[in-house]
Amino acid sequence: MRGTRLTILIVFTLTALSAIALVVFTPLFDEADKTTIPRAVATTPAAENSANADTAHKPTVSPLWDTMQPVAELFEMLTERAFDDQPADLLLLADRTRLSFDEVRGAVPEVTASEIDTLILKIRNSIETDSRPDVAFSAVEGYRRVIEISDASDVSKAISMLDYAGFRIHANLKCDPVRWNDISGAFDFASSQWLEVAPHIQDGELADKFSINLDALGTAIADFNQELAESAVAHELDLVDELESAAGKG
């Protein structure tokens, strides 16, 4: 009887933990393109916790991230070049992404591998139909999926998600008409990620610059000011590169 009660207690505990995990990370669904933006529930960062800050600045041994990083970088390149490169060049880059992913497929859960395969196929189809926004959206979602399954530190992932949000905002600003609803969702997601990252950036000047620019981006979005939003998101992506170095990711 004691063994039965212990089994029930363990099952109940695991079920409760699973429910908590589902609350922590919930998707924001955008009706415009039927893709999801992951929205993390924002928590107030404990800036005074110096132990956490010190840990974040020490590079973490990440064998899976080392394996997956080339794939993430190729998806990132596809996102950046989707609106400007020639179709033939984009097709070559899509093929490089597929080949790079094939090399590490065994390290990826089967469901995720299937999702990534589908996204690469969508990228190729969108290139062939010259649907540039769809190239960018599929590529940035591929980037997100690779980051999510990596074993990089939480801070490194949050910084990468700032990149993800910036790329998504940039792609939405290129659409005609501009997709402000999706932009607003991506901005909210970026804000939640910055709450996670900010306490771990010891360079106060850099942290201030990012915060000021994020505020400027939010104002431009609230005013539906495309020109200012494009300028602010371009600066956000540049600052993310600096954050990667400051947090020991880059």
Side-chain angles (χ1 to χ4, degrees), residues 186-202:
F187 174 77
D188 289 345
F189 179 66
S191 298
S192 73
Q193 297 305 292
W194 176 235
L195 286 177
E196 299 296 328
V197 173
H200 304 287
I201 304 302
Q202 293 182 348

Side-chain angles (χ1 to χ4, degrees), residues 144-155:
R144 173 170 71 88
R145 280 162 173 74
V146 171
I147 297 302
E148 286 175 346
I149 63 171
S150 78
D151 58 349
S153 70
D154 289 343
V155 174

Side-chain angles (χ1 to χ4, degrees), residues 13 26 31 34 66 73-74 77 84 92 95 107 120-121 123 131 145 153 156 164 167 217 239 246 248:
T13 303
T26 56
E31 290 293 341
K34 308 300 182 186
D66 289 343
E73 290 174 349
L74 286 166
M77 289 171 64
D84 300 316
L92 287 174
D95 287 342
I120 294 173
L121 180 60
I123 289 169
S131 179
R145 280 162 173 74
S153 70
S156 294
Y164 162 79
F167 285 133
L217 178 58
L239 288 172

Side-chain angles (χ1 to χ4, degrees), residues 17 32 99 106 148 183 203 217 242:
L17 289 174
L99 290 172
E148 286 175 346
I183 287 172
D203 185 337
L217 178 58
E242 296 184 41

Side-chain angles (χ1 to χ4, degrees), residues 3 7 26 30 49 52 66 86 89 122 134 139 152 163 165 172 183 194 205 227:
T7 300
T26 56
D30 178 65
N49 192 336
N52 287 344
D66 289 343
Q86 294 297 314
D89 295 329
K122 285 183 178 180
D134 290 336
D163 244 349
N172 278 301
I183 287 172
W194 176 235
E205 182 178 354
E227 183 178 356

Side-chain angles (χ1 to χ4, degrees), residues 124-132 134:
R124 285 193 58 88
N125 291 340
S126 298
I127 294 169
E128 290 170 352
T129 58
D130 201 32
S131 179
R132 300 303 181 106
D134 290 336

